[in-house]
Amino acid sequence: MLPHDASTATKKICALAPIIPVLVVHDVAHARPLAEALVAGGLPVLEVTLRTEAALAVITEMAKVEGGVVGAGTLLTPDDVKRAKDAGATFGVSPGATDRLLTACEDAHLPTLPGAATATEAMRLLERGYDMMKFFPAEASGGAPALKSLASPLPQISFCPTGGVSMANARSYLSLPNVACAGGSWVAPDALVQAGDWASITELARAASQLSRDA
Protein backbone atom coordinates (compact mmCIF):
# COMPACT_ATOMS: atom_id res chain seq x y z
CA MET A 1 0.00 0.00 0.00
CA LEU A 2 1.38 3.39 -0.99
CA PRO A 3 1.40 6.14 1.67
CA HIS A 4 -0.94 8.30 -0.42
CA ASP A 5 -3.43 5.43 -0.66
CA ALA A 6 -3.16 4.87 3.09
CA SER A 7 -3.99 8.52 3.76
CA THR A 8 -6.90 8.40 1.32
CA ALA A 9 -8.29 5.42 3.21
CA THR A 10 -7.84 7.00 6.65
CA LYS A 11 -9.46 10.23 5.46
CA LYS A 12 -12.56 8.24 4.51
CA ILE A 13 -12.56 6.59 7.92
CA CYS A 14 -12.16 9.94 9.69
CA ALA A 15 -15.10 11.34 7.72
CA LEU A 16 -17.49 8.80 9.23
CA ALA A 17 -17.88 10.64 12.56
CA PRO A 18 -16.42 13.68 14.32
CA ILE A 19 -15.02 11.60 17.19
CA ILE A 20 -13.09 8.33 17.23
CA PRO A 21 -13.39 6.60 20.63
CA VAL A 22 -9.96 5.68 21.98
CA LEU A 23 -10.55 2.48 23.93
CA VAL A 24 -8.51 0.70 26.59
CA VAL A 25 -10.41 -2.55 27.19
CA HIS A 26 -9.27 -5.07 29.81
CA ASP A 27 -12.00 -7.69 29.51
CA VAL A 28 -12.92 -9.27 26.18
CA ALA A 29 -16.44 -9.84 27.54
CA HIS A 30 -16.96 -6.08 27.29
CA ALA A 31 -15.89 -5.89 23.65
CA ARG A 32 -19.10 -6.53 21.74
CA PRO A 33 -21.56 -4.68 24.02
CA LEU A 34 -19.19 -1.70 24.16
CA ALA A 35 -18.83 -1.60 20.38
CA GLU A 36 -22.58 -1.99 19.93
CA ALA A 37 -23.24 0.88 22.35
CA LEU A 38 -20.82 3.22 20.57
CA VAL A 39 -22.06 2.33 17.09
CA ALA A 40 -25.67 2.80 18.26
CA GLY A 41 -24.70 6.26 19.47
CA GLY A 42 -23.33 7.24 16.06
CA LEU A 43 -19.62 6.56 16.53
CA PRO A 44 -18.78 3.66 14.19
CA VAL A 45 -14.99 4.09 14.10
CA LEU A 46 -13.36 2.42 17.10
CA GLU A 47 -9.69 2.56 18.07
CA VAL A 48 -8.69 -0.28 20.39
CA THR A 49 -5.33 0.54 21.93
CA LEU A 50 -2.82 -2.28 22.27
CA ARG A 51 -2.27 -1.50 25.94
CA THR A 52 -3.93 -4.53 27.52
CA GLU A 53 -3.47 -8.28 27.23
CA ALA A 54 -7.04 -8.54 25.94
CA ALA A 55 -6.64 -5.95 23.18
CA LEU A 56 -6.21 -8.30 20.22
CA ALA A 57 -9.13 -10.48 21.27
CA VAL A 58 -11.18 -7.32 21.79
CA ILE A 59 -10.43 -6.23 18.22
CA THR A 60 -11.55 -9.61 16.92
CA GLU A 61 -14.84 -9.42 18.82
CA MET A 62 -15.55 -5.80 17.95
CA ALA A 63 -14.89 -6.52 14.27
CA LYS A 64 -17.99 -8.75 14.35
CA VAL A 65 -20.29 -5.84 15.25
CA GLU A 66 -22.34 -4.65 12.30
CA GLY A 67 -21.58 -1.09 11.30
CA GLY A 68 -18.32 -0.91 13.21
CA VAL A 69 -14.95 0.04 11.73
CA VAL A 70 -12.34 -1.29 14.12
CA GLY A 71 -8.71 -0.28 14.24
CA ALA A 72 -5.69 -0.84 16.45
CA GLY A 73 -4.02 1.97 18.34
CA THR A 74 -0.61 2.26 19.96
CA LEU A 75 1.14 0.49 17.09
CA LEU A 76 4.84 0.58 17.97
CA THR A 77 6.53 -2.29 16.13
CA PRO A 78 6.15 -4.34 12.95
CA ASP A 79 4.98 -7.22 15.15
CA ASP A 80 2.19 -5.00 16.49
CA VAL A 81 1.11 -4.33 12.91
CA LYS A 82 1.02 -8.03 11.99
CA ARG A 83 -0.87 -9.04 15.12
CA ALA A 84 -3.38 -6.21 14.73
CA LYS A 85 -4.05 -7.06 11.10
CA ASP A 86 -4.42 -10.76 11.93
CA ALA A 87 -6.87 -9.89 14.71
CA GLY A 88 -9.12 -8.08 12.26
CA ALA A 89 -8.08 -4.44 12.50
CA THR A 90 -8.93 -2.48 9.36
CA PHE A 91 -6.77 0.52 10.21
CA GLY A 92 -3.98 1.43 12.59
CA VAL A 93 -2.93 4.39 14.71
CA SER A 94 0.54 5.11 16.08
CA PRO A 95 1.65 7.73 18.63
CA GLY A 96 4.62 8.60 16.43
CA ALA A 97 6.22 7.30 13.28
CA THR A 98 9.38 5.43 12.36
CA ASP A 99 10.41 4.24 8.92
CA ARG A 100 10.36 0.65 10.12
CA LEU A 101 6.81 0.93 11.44
CA LEU A 102 5.53 2.74 8.35
CA THR A 103 7.07 0.16 6.06
CA ALA A 104 5.41 -2.62 8.04
CA CYS A 105 2.01 -0.91 7.74
CA GLU A 106 2.47 -0.37 4.02
CA ASP A 107 3.58 -3.96 3.46
CA ALA A 108 0.59 -5.25 5.46
CA HIS A 109 -1.82 -3.01 3.53
CA LEU A 110 -3.02 -1.54 6.82
CA PRO A 111 -4.08 2.11 6.43
CA THR A 112 -2.52 3.97 9.33
CA LEU A 113 -2.67 7.33 11.05
CA PRO A 114 0.98 8.07 11.88
CA GLY A 115 1.58 10.40 14.79
CA ALA A 116 3.21 13.82 14.53
CA ALA A 117 3.56 16.56 17.13
CA THR A 118 5.80 19.07 15.36
CA ALA A 119 6.12 20.73 11.97
CA THR A 120 9.29 18.75 11.28
CA GLU A 121 7.61 15.43 12.04
CA ALA A 122 4.64 16.37 9.88
CA MET A 123 6.91 17.44 7.01
CA ARG A 124 8.83 14.16 7.15
CA LEU A 125 5.58 12.21 6.89
CA LEU A 126 4.39 14.45 4.07
CA GLU A 127 7.67 13.87 2.25
CA ARG A 128 7.03 10.12 2.46
CA GLY A 129 3.52 10.59 1.05
CA TYR A 130 1.24 10.86 4.08
CA ASP A 131 -1.14 13.80 4.34
CA MET A 132 -3.53 12.45 7.01
CA MET A 133 -1.92 12.21 10.45
CA LYS A 134 -2.57 11.92 14.15
CA PHE A 135 -1.64 14.98 16.23
CA PHE A 136 -0.45 13.57 19.54
CA PRO A 137 -0.34 14.36 22.39
CA ALA A 138 -2.72 17.12 21.36
CA GLU A 139 -3.22 19.18 24.52
CA ALA A 140 0.34 18.71 25.77
CA SER A 141 1.65 19.80 22.36
CA GLY A 142 -0.16 23.12 22.40
CA GLY A 143 -3.74 22.10 21.71
CA ALA A 144 -5.94 23.71 19.11
CA PRO A 145 -3.80 26.87 18.85
CA ALA A 146 -0.77 24.76 17.88
CA LEU A 147 -2.75 22.90 15.23
CA LYS A 148 -4.17 26.16 13.93
CA SER A 149 -0.64 27.51 13.50
CA LEU A 150 0.26 24.51 11.32
CA ALA A 151 -2.67 25.07 8.95
CA SER A 152 -1.14 28.02 7.08
CA PRO A 153 2.32 26.62 6.25
CA LEU A 154 1.06 23.03 5.84
CA PRO A 155 -2.49 23.36 4.43
CA GLN A 156 -2.25 20.04 2.58
CA ILE A 157 -2.10 18.05 5.84
CA SER A 158 -5.17 16.96 7.82
CA PHE A 159 -5.01 15.79 11.42
CA CYS A 160 -6.87 13.72 13.98
CA PRO A 161 -5.88 15.28 17.32
CA THR A 162 -5.79 12.86 20.25
CA GLY A 163 -4.62 13.20 23.82
CA GLY A 164 -6.50 15.43 26.22
CA VAL A 165 -9.43 15.97 23.85
CA SER A 166 -12.74 16.12 25.71
CA MET A 167 -16.34 17.08 25.20
CA ALA A 168 -15.43 20.51 26.59
CA ASN A 169 -12.69 21.31 24.06
CA ALA A 170 -13.52 19.09 21.07
CA ARG A 171 -15.22 21.90 19.15
CA SER A 172 -12.09 24.04 19.35
CA TYR A 173 -10.31 21.32 17.36
CA LEU A 174 -13.15 20.38 15.02
CA SER A 175 -13.58 24.02 13.97
CA LEU A 176 -10.08 24.07 12.45
CA PRO A 177 -9.73 23.63 8.68
CA ASN A 178 -6.94 21.05 9.06
CA VAL A 179 -8.83 18.76 11.47
CA ALA A 180 -10.77 15.83 10.00
CA CYS A 181 -11.92 14.37 13.32
CA ALA A 182 -10.66 13.95 16.87
CA GLY A 183 -9.94 10.99 19.13
CA GLY A 184 -11.15 10.82 22.70
CA SER A 185 -11.65 8.39 25.56
CA TRP A 186 -14.37 10.25 27.42
CA VAL A 187 -17.15 8.49 25.48
CA ALA A 188 -16.31 5.17 27.15
CA PRO A 189 -15.18 5.87 30.72
CA ASP A 190 -13.86 2.83 32.55
CA ALA A 191 -16.41 3.15 35.35
CA LEU A 192 -19.32 2.80 32.93
CA VAL A 193 -17.62 -0.04 31.07
CA GLN A 194 -16.98 -1.95 34.29
CA ALA A 195 -20.60 -1.38 35.36
CA GLY A 196 -21.89 -2.56 31.99
CA ASP A 197 -23.84 0.68 31.66
CA TRP A 198 -24.07 0.52 27.88
CA ALA A 199 -27.08 2.85 27.72
CA SER A 200 -25.06 5.69 29.29
CA ILE A 201 -22.19 5.05 26.90
CA THR A 202 -24.61 5.23 23.97
CA GLU A 203 -25.80 8.60 25.25
CA LEU A 204 -22.22 9.89 25.54
CA ALA A 205 -21.54 8.64 22.01
CA ARG A 206 -24.69 10.28 20.69
CA ALA A 207 -23.67 13.64 22.15
CA ALA A 208 -20.18 13.29 20.68
CA SER A 209 -21.53 12.27 17.27
CA GLN A 210 -23.50 15.50 17.11
CA LEU A 211 -20.50 17.76 17.65
CA SER A 212 -20.34 20.23 14.81
CA ARG A 213 -17.50 22.13 13.25
CA ASP A 214 -18.90 25.40 14.54
CA ALA A 215 -16.73 26.72 17.33
Side-chain angles (χ1 to χ4, degrees), residues 64-91:
K64 300 174 183 176
V65 173
E66 185 176 357
V69 180
V70 184
T74 324
L75 296 179
L76 303 177
T77 68
D79 185 56
D80 289 340
V81 174
K82 182 182 185 305
R83 292 186 300 135
K85 183 74 181 287
D86 290 346
T90 56
F91 70 95

Side-chain angles (χ1 to χ4, degrees), residues 178-207:
N178 59 342
V179 170
C181 66
S185 60
W186 83 89
V187 293
D190 188 60
L192 293 182
V193 173
Q194 296 303 323
D197 190 350
W198 313 122
S200 292
I201 288 175
T202 294
E203 287 306 308
L204 288 173
R206 184 168 291 117

Side-chain angles (χ1 to χ4, degrees), residues 117-135:
T118 67
T120 296
E121 291 170 352
M123 288 171 64
R124 284 175 176 164
L125 285 167
L126 183 64
E127 188 174 79
R128 185 169 175 130
Y130 290 90
D131 59 9
M132 180 70 222
M133 307 171 193
K134 171 181 178 176
F135 181 64

Side-chain angles (χ1 to χ4, degrees), residues 156-179:
Q156 64 272 65
I157 300 177
S158 296
F159 293 93
C160 171
T162 304
V165 179
S166 67
M167 189 68 180
N169 63 19
R171 281 192 177 89
S172 67
Y173 287 100
L174 294 172
S175 65
L176 300 177
N178 59 342
V179 170

Side-chain angles (χ1 to χ4, degrees), residues 35-44 201-210:
E36 289 168 352
L38 292 166
V39 172
L43 300 182
I201 288 175
T202 294
E203 287 306 308
L204 288 173
R206 184 168 291 117
S209 72
Q210 294 171 355

